[in-house]
Amino acid sequence: MEIVRQKIADPADFRARGIRARDALRGDLEGADLDKYVEERVLTTTLDKALNWARGNALFPATFGLACCAIEMMSVVGARVDIARFGAEAFRASPRQADLLILSGRISIKMAPIVRRIYDQMLEPKWAIAMGACSSSMGVFNNYAIVPADKFMPVDVHVPGCPPRPEALMHGILKLRQMIQDDPAMGWRDRYEARGTEEIVGDLQDPGADAAVNVLKRPPGSAGA
Ligand code: SF4
């Protein structure tokens, strides 16, 4: 659903609409007037769609910064980008209250388990954005200490740049919002054949079997989440 703001062409029309709303509330509208009023204002949908619409417009990012990209991430709540317009400004101080992890910077191999633990502590449904070249692809660094986020946790959206501008992060958040509203199953669960909060990883020794590596066993006959 897209909400479009328009200038009121005629203030008198605005007043007429106010009077119609008052009449409707009082039960004074009848017949064709009532039909037209209801047609213009009532929206039908499914509970799932309404839930996803609300989720997509009320993301709670975790208060967690990794490196230089974090400075750009912080600025999205400022007046210039004002991510509050899209309901994603309430950065939570605990992963238990957050549903979005923004990986804003480079991740060393030593830091990766901590990042993964923060992600695991977040409640479902949850999402992750890899912000910047470092967390997406090790960025400008050519050494053994940095690891891309995809190697140890699921990532829903990658935002390129070094650092990406706050506008780019906003674009990434809007892409994620679209993903949540349009097709939530497009998330990491299907891609990684996972359910719950853990991933199901194949056994390297026995490619035909599921292995319990940090994971729940896949139930027999299930295709994933
Ligand atoms: S992508 Fe660039 S700005 Fe972001 S953490 Fe890496 S080096 Fe820093």
Side-chain angles (χ1 to χ4, degrees), residues 13-162:
D13 181 47
F14 187 60
R15 179 162 161 70
R17 276 194 271 161
I19 292 169
R20 268 210 309 282
R22 186 197 64 193
D23 290 348
L25 284 173
R26 284 180 177 166
D28 291 347
L29 275 187
E30 287 178 355
D33 282 347
L34 183 58
D35 288 349
K36 187 163 181 288
Y37 184 81
V38 171
E39 265 173 36
E40 284 172 358
R41 283 161 184 80
V42 173
L43 193 72
T44 56
T45 185
T46 62
L47 182 60
D48 277 350
K49 280 190 180 158
L51 273 177
N52 290 332
W53 178 83
R55 279 185 181 137
N57 283 299
L59 287 166
F60 281 16
T63 307
F64 177 68
L66 278 160
C68 7
C69 275
I71 305 300
E72 304 294 318
M73 179 185 73
M74 291 170 209
S75 65
V76 296
V77 295
R80 184 184 165 112
V81 171
D82 191 14
I83 201 70
R85 291 176 292 160
F86 309 108
E89 84 286 10
F91 277 72
R92 300 285 95 188
S94 160
R96 313 271 183 210
Q97 299 168 353
D99 60 5
L100 170 61
L101 186 59
I102 301 174
L103 301 164
S104 52
R106 57 196 166 268
I107 305 162
S108 64
I109 288 174
K110 199 173 174 185
M111 189 68 180
I114 292 134
V115 175
R116 176 71 206 215
R117 174 175 292 186
I118 290 171
Y119 181 76
D120 284 342
Q121 285 174 338
M122 290 162 55
L123 297 180
E124 293 280 2
K126 59 188 172 183
W127 297 276
I129 293 179
M131 177 188 182
C134 283
S135 58
S136 296
S137 63
M138 298 167 55
V140 296
F141 301 100
N142 182 17
N143 70 44
Y144 57 83
I146 311 291
V147 60
D150 277 318
K151 297 282 182 197
F152 62 88
M153 63 172 277
V155 173
D156 294 286
V157 172
H158 293 264
V159 178
C162 177

Side-chain angles (χ1 to χ4, degrees), residues 144-211:
Y144 57 83
I146 311 291
V147 60
D150 277 318
K151 297 282 182 197
F152 62 88
M153 63 172 277
V155 173
D156 294 286
V157 172
H158 293 264
V159 178
C162 177
R165 290 177 61 86
E167 290 86 349
L169 178 59
M170 181 181 72
H171 185 66
I173 291 173
L174 293 183
K175 285 274 174 204
L176 181 64
R177 180 179 77 159
Q178 205 62 48
M179 187 191 284
I180 295 167
Q181 290 179 358
D182 286 354
D183 194 354
M186 282 281 291
W188 63 275
R189 291 166 196 79
D190 282 356
R191 288 203 315 271
Y192 287 75
E193 292 193 330
R195 67 194 169 91
T197 58
E198 309 287 357
E199 291 179 43
I200 293 179
V201 183
D203 187 347
L204 294 178
Q205 265 72 45
D206 180 4
D210 289 332

